[in-house]
Amino acid sequence: MITGLSHTPLQTIYIYPHHFHALHQHVSFTLSLSLSLSFKVVKPKTMASHSFVSIKIVTNFLLLLSFLIAASAGNFNQDFDITWGDGRAKILNNGALLTLSLDKTSGSGFQSKKQYLFGKIDMQLKLVPGNSAGTVTAYYLSSQGSAHDEIDFEFLGNLSGDPYILHTNVFTQGKGNREQQFYLWFDPTKDFHTYSILWNPLSIIFSVDGTPIREFKNLESKGIPFPKNQPMWLYSSLWDADNWATRGGLVKTDWTQAPFTASYANFNAQACIWSSGSSSCSSNSSGNSWLTQSLDTTGQQRKQWVQKNYMIYNYCTDAKRFPQGFPPECSLA
């Protein structure tokens, strides 16, 4: 869950015991969405012979279960195709874990089986440990073509003991140049951490372990393009970029440390699937609360805390790069 997002209220839904088997399947499905569930079996006075389950869950829970949105239970065999790497990418533990590897010959990568047009995407990553200089682990949404849209997380490796750089970017209609970079407030190589993209018609929010770090608002009314018409696939890759990734290319990849390995787990997608020219959310979006989520005051404060303490580059303050003036979204946002 992203801290600082507004959410729909909880309600209580009563389900009888003979429905519990089917309910169990739906509960497992819903748990993968990181929703908050609580259960209790009670015997009200008016129905002493019938125990039933009370489930607290977000309003319109049943609409969620109608599959108007897509939800992934985190099985990489079901959700992704390995697209390149000649065996360097592996799906392990019955689909619960995916690893990408890089050596001097090749890196590796994977792609989602489905396209999305808006969604809340979560992925846990554990990055390349040790001397990862020259390597890039990319995790991003993208459409295709020269006028493509794209939403990027890229993790730029570094020498042992030096921090990773988290590089973010947003492309609209083939135009990027909207980079913001951050240090992280933890070691991303020791444990898995959750990196999230919330993409809805209002904004794009990048989050790390539920803490928002960046927001790109929909300012189409001001003439600034926003990704809203092109469905995207989710991609990830581990590759060699020692010509630019670490200190502008001054530090090269140490191939004696190869193979380099990044690990992935617990993929979740609350999203509108695009298929055959239509969206799975087009018929009814009333149960998709993430479609209207935005940062509240707490979320804005947490984002500002990250940007004050951990942001190391912002295109909106790079006067040398934009001598004719900053991009318009910099002042409007």
Side-chain angles (χ1 to χ4, degrees), residues 115 141-145 147-150 230-233 235:
Q115 286 180 287
L141 288 162
S142 182
S143 59
Q144 296 182 341
H148 73 290
D149 295 334
E150 188 171 326
Q230 299 186 52
M232 303 195 211
W233 281 274
Y235 298 88

Side-chain angles (χ1 to χ4, degrees), residues 89-100:
K90 301 181 187 302
I91 298 177
L92 307 168
N93 298 349
N94 295 318
L97 179 70
L98 188 151
T99 61
L100 295 181

Side-chain angles (χ1 to χ4, degrees), residues 256-329:
T256 66
Q257 304 298 311
F260 304 97
T261 301
S263 302
Y264 300 75
N266 293 324
F267 167 70
N268 281 327
Q270 299 175 59
C272 301
I273 292 177
W274 185 263
S275 179
S276 302
S278 64
S279 167
S280 62
C281 297
S282 59
S283 59
N284 190 333
S285 62
S286 61
N288 307 338
S289 60
W290 56 268
L291 271 171
T292 57
Q293 285 179 337
S294 59
L295 292 180
D296 60 14
T297 301
T298 300
Q300 293 289 349
Q301 291 173 344
R302 299 201 69 182
K303 182 192 71 173
Q304 291 166 6
W305 173 81
V306 172
Q307 294 188 352
K308 177 182 178 180
N309 292 283
Y310 295 98
M311 179 183 281
I312 59 172
Y313 178 80
N314 183 2
Y315 76 107
C316 284
T317 60
D318 191 343
K320 291 183 178 179
R321 184 179 178 187
F322 299 103
Q324 305 303 317
F326 296 117
E329 67 266 19

Side-chain angles (χ1 to χ4, degrees), residues 115-324:
Q115 286 180 287
Y116 308 108
L117 186 60
F118 302 124
K120 167 68 166 58
I121 308 294
D122 302 318
M123 183 81 81
Q124 290 193 338
L125 280 77
K126 183 164 64 173
L127 300 179
V128 174
N131 181 0
S132 58
T135 71
V136 172
T137 305
Y139 156 56
Y140 59 103
L141 288 162
S142 182
S143 59
Q144 296 182 341
S146 59
H148 73 290
D149 295 334
E150 188 171 326
I151 305 169
D152 288 343
F153 275 113
E154 291 185 307
F155 304 88
L156 312 185
N158 216 331
L159 295 168
S160 298
D162 291 339
Y164 262 84
I165 292 175
L166 172 53
H167 176 101
T168 66
N169 203 354
V170 176
F171 286 73
T172 57
Q173 300 176 11
K175 182 181 179 297
N177 299 323
R178 298 184 177 99
E179 298 90 348
Q180 290 183 355
Q181 295 182 337
F182 305 82
Y183 288 143
L184 295 166
W185 49 96
F186 52 83
D187 184 344
T189 72
K190 297 296 185 184
D191 295 296
F192 283 95
H193 292 269
T194 303
Y195 303 90
S196 304
I197 297 169
L198 173 60
W199 169 36
N200 65 27
L202 303 176
S203 63
I204 297 166
I205 300 171
F206 298 77
S207 298
V208 177
D209 287 338
T211 296
I213 65 171
R214 178 178 184 177
E215 181 180 24
F216 184 80
K217 294 182 178 180
N218 185 342
L219 298 172
E220 281 191 311
S221 62
K222 307 295 184 181
I224 299 167
F226 183 82
K228 70 171 189 178
N229 296 318
Q230 299 186 52
M232 303 195 211
W233 281 274
L234 179 64
Y235 298 88
S236 191
S237 58
L238 174 58
W239 50 290
D240 173 34
D242 71 359
N243 61 326
W244 66 272
T246 306
R247 300 181 189 175
L250 295 177
V251 181
K252 301 298 183 181
T253 304
D254 180 0
W255 293 111
T256 66
Q257 304 298 311
F260 304 97
T261 301
S263 302
Y264 300 75
N266 293 324
F267 167 70
N268 281 327
Q270 299 175 59
C272 301
I273 292 177
W274 185 263
S275 179
S276 302
S278 64
S279 167
S280 62
C281 297
S282 59
S283 59
N284 190 333
S285 62
S286 61
N288 307 338
S289 60
W290 56 268
L291 271 171
T292 57
Q293 285 179 337
S294 59
L295 292 180
D296 60 14
T297 301
T298 300
Q300 293 289 349
Q301 291 173 344
R302 299 201 69 182
K303 182 192 71 173
Q304 291 166 6
W305 173 81
V306 172
Q307 294 188 352
K308 177 182 178 180
N309 292 283
Y310 295 98
M311 179 183 281
I312 59 172
Y313 178 80
N314 183 2
Y315 76 107
C316 284
T317 60
D318 191 343
K320 291 183 178 179
R321 184 179 178 187
F322 299 103
Q324 305 303 317

Side-chain angles (χ1 to χ4, degrees), residues 14-26:
Y14 298 101
I15 298 177
Y16 291 94
H18 60 275
H19 293 146
F20 189 81
H21 177 71
L23 171 67
H24 171 75
Q25 295 177 336
H26 291 319

